[in-house]
Amino acid sequence: MRVSTMALICRRFAAKKRGTFTQSLSLFSSSFHDLSHNNNRPFSPTPRIDFSCIHGVDDAVFLFREMLRMRPQPCVVEFNKLLTSIVKMKKYSVTLNVFDEMRQSGASVDEYTLNIVINCYCLLNRVDFGFAILGSFFKRGYEPNIITFNTLIKGLFLDDKVIEAEKLFIKLLALGLCEPNEATILTMVNGLCKAGHTLTAYDLLRLLEKTSFKPDVQTYNTVINSLCKDRMVDDALQLLATMIDKGIAPNIVTYNSMLQGLCNFGRWKDVKDLIIEMADHKISLNVFTFNILVDALCKDGMVKEAKDVFEIMMQKNVPPNSVTCNAMIDGYSLVGQIDKARKLLDSMSGRGLKPSIINYGRLINGYCKNEKVDLLKD
DNA sequence: GTAGGGTTAG
């Protein structure tokens, strides 16, 4: 029902898209005009800030206070860079505090700043405050852009407000507030998948394929992965064929998701075919691919075959990692070859791998399963 | 490089 609403609007919107594009071009040219105008202002140097000294959040806050004291004050771009550096450290509350201080001290704020702030609220699961900031866009005479809306859509999904996210997306399309881009589509599709609405995401993707919006490889990957996780492996295979048909090249992530799905159902013939297809597309297997194979073989009790894959990894110069070792340890334990599991764990240091608590845990688990707990005393 | 999107293995 919801998707059919989207269908209607997508078609209508796709038909109008050319006009919108021209409009946005004219918007661009006006901002170029503004830029050149700014360049003609009397020369007044604003300090350039060196952000390379920031190694932690305290450095960032210290630098911020310095920036507030500077005369003339650094321009808003520098403040935005500073805020971004705090966001990158995932210190969203600190970013908001700094923003608050900026406002109180009258430092200048622009659309970029407001988008950064909305993003922080969204990441703190306070999309409601994000919408409040949207209000201050208008108050300050700024226009929210597609980044603003993408951020808010993501925020709604993070806050489990799936219906609201869909409504906002539909509003974007219907009212032509902003032209959705690939990020919008991925945000929608990813949000729907994460919320457990894989089929809605799938329908939306198939719908967008028919319009002038072109979902990218990441969007296909998200849906293929989600279909596999939801046991709809054949639909995922079909979608893989579709994307190739549409000229979107699958990448290693696409194939790894697909292989995981097939392995979960022991579809070894399909696994083999897919690996051949990967070779045809000149996509080499990476450590994820091999780990999926090793793990699946071990879980199916085919430890000998798993060990063969383990050897192939070394030949192919894709060294096994800690995850590979865990899979093998579990595999050996499953078939009662706990000594081989122990030997593998002992060999890890020689392979440049530091056995972790997880590796030991797996081995201990193996000993328990094999009722050899007394051997742990060694 | 001033702001937004993602994915795969234990």
Side-chain angles (χ1 to χ4, degrees):
Chain A
M1 178 66 184
R2 260 176 269 137
V3 168
S4 63
T5 317
M6 285 192 214
L8 209 69
I9 296 163
C10 282
R11 282 195 203 104
R12 210 183 303 153
F13 188 81
K16 287 200 308 192
K17 206 179 162 194
R18 187 183 291 268
T20 321
F21 184 65
T22 325
Q23 263 177 6
S24 43
L25 268 185
S26 69
L27 276 177
F28 271 126
S29 59
S30 69
S31 41
F32 280 132
H33 177 75
D34 289 347
L35 271 180
S36 61
H37 176 74
N38 285 341
N39 286 344
N40 290 338
R41 276 189 319 201
F43 182 66
S44 64
T46 56
R48 280 293 176 95
I49 309 298
D50 176 21
F51 292 99
S52 66
C53 62
I54 296 180
H55 296 109
V57 66
D58 293 339
D59 298 336
V61 174
F62 181 82
L63 183 58
F64 167 66
R65 302 256 156 77
E66 295 280 296
M67 285 167 68
L68 278 186
R69 272 199 294 272
M70 288 176 187
R71 289 295 176 273
Q73 209 167 59
C75 67
V76 62
V77 174
E78 303 296 321
F79 281 102
N80 290 339
K81 284 182 185 169
L82 180 97
L83 289 171
T84 305
S85 77
I86 308 175
V87 172
K88 294 257 158 72
M89 295 181 233
K90 299 190 194 297
K91 306 287 184 196
Y92 311 122
S93 304
V94 179
T95 314
L96 292 172
N97 290 338
V98 167
F99 170 68
D100 224 37
E101 268 190 64
M102 276 174 72
R103 269 204 300 204
Q104 281 165 22
S105 62
S108 53
V109 161
D110 67 2
E111 306 93 311
Y112 285 67
T113 328
L114 297 180
N115 279 339
I116 294 168
V117 170
I118 291 180
N119 189 35
C120 287
Y121 277 126
C122 288
L123 291 168
L124 290 166
N125 288 319
R126 292 312 307 253
V127 69
D128 48 341
F129 288 148
F131 278 100
I133 298 290
L134 180 65
S136 72
F137 259 93
F138 301 115
K139 244 185 340 208
R140 289 166 187 268
Y142 296 134
E143 290 232 350
N145 59 16
I146 190 60
I147 295 181
T148 320
F149 288 111
N150 289 348
T151 310
L152 286 167
I153 290 174
K154 184 189 70 177
L156 288 168
F157 277 118
L158 285 174
D159 224 3
D160 291 326
K161 297 185 165 72
V162 179
I163 308 279
E164 284 89 334
E166 286 177 328
K167 278 186 183 160
L168 181 55
F169 177 65
I170 289 172
K171 221 177 198 175
L172 269 187
L173 293 170
L175 303 181
L177 291 175
C178 261
E179 190 169 340
N181 58 18
E182 288 182 335
T184 323
I185 295 169
L186 183 57
T187 306
M188 278 303 299
V189 162
N190 186 49
L192 288 167
C193 285
K194 290 269 158 61
H197 301 287
T198 305
L199 287 179
T200 311
Y202 176 85
D203 288 343
L204 178 60
L205 175 64
R206 300 311 304 260
L207 187 67
L208 291 167
E209 279 174 347
K210 297 189 187 106
T211 70
S212 55
F213 296 111
K214 290 289 163 245
D216 60 14
V217 60
Q218 301 175 36
T219 307
Y220 279 98
N221 286 353
T222 302
V223 178
I224 286 174
N225 187 47
S226 200
L227 286 168
C228 285
K229 292 258 162 12
D230 289 356
R231 313 165 68 90
M232 291 179 272
V233 183
D234 286 308
D235 297 285
L237 275 173
Q238 213 170 8
L239 191 56
L240 172 63
T242 305
M243 71 184 281
I244 294 173
D245 199 44
K246 302 258 177 209
I248 311 289
N251 60 20
I252 185 65
V253 177
T254 327
Y255 282 109
N256 286 346
S257 294
M258 206 54 253
L259 283 169
Q260 177 72 74
L262 292 168
C263 283
N264 284 342
F265 292 93
R267 291 172 56 166
W268 294 107
K269 167 76 173 65
D270 290 319
V271 168
K272 211 171 144 190
D273 290 346
L274 207 62
I275 290 175
I276 294 169
E277 187 181 311
M278 289 172 75
D280 290 344
H281 286 88
K282 305 250 178 308
I283 293 177
S284 18
L285 313 192
N286 67 8
V287 69
F288 282 84
T289 328
F290 283 116
N291 286 347
I292 290 163
L293 298 174
V294 168
D295 185 56
L297 288 166
C298 283
K299 286 203 168 86
D300 266 10
M302 294 186 271
V303 186
K304 165 79 178 62
E305 289 79 357
K307 186 70 196 334
D308 291 342
V309 175
F310 193 94
E311 299 297 332
I312 293 170
M313 290 177 78
M314 289 186 289
Q315 286 164 21
K316 298 262 183 198
N317 212 16
V318 182
N321 62 15
S322 170
V323 178
T324 332
C325 293
N326 283 333
M328 288 298 306
I329 289 171
D330 284 350
Y332 283 132
S333 306
L334 188 69
V335 296
Q337 299 180 354
I338 195 71
D339 299 339
K340 288 192 178 168
R342 174 69 181 259
K343 235 167 120 181
L344 179 65
L345 189 122
D346 289 341
S347 76
M348 284 180 71
S349 318
R351 300 173 189 278
L353 298 170
K354 196 166 168 252
S356 69
I357 183 83
I358 300 176
N359 299 118
Y360 283 110
R362 294 307 185 86
L363 184 66
I364 291 168
N365 199 24
Y367 275 115
C368 292
K369 273 190 197 143
N370 288 273
E371 293 172 351
K372 287 184 175 176
V373 183
D374 49 324
L375 284 178
L376 287 170
K377 289 170 192 154
D378 299 343

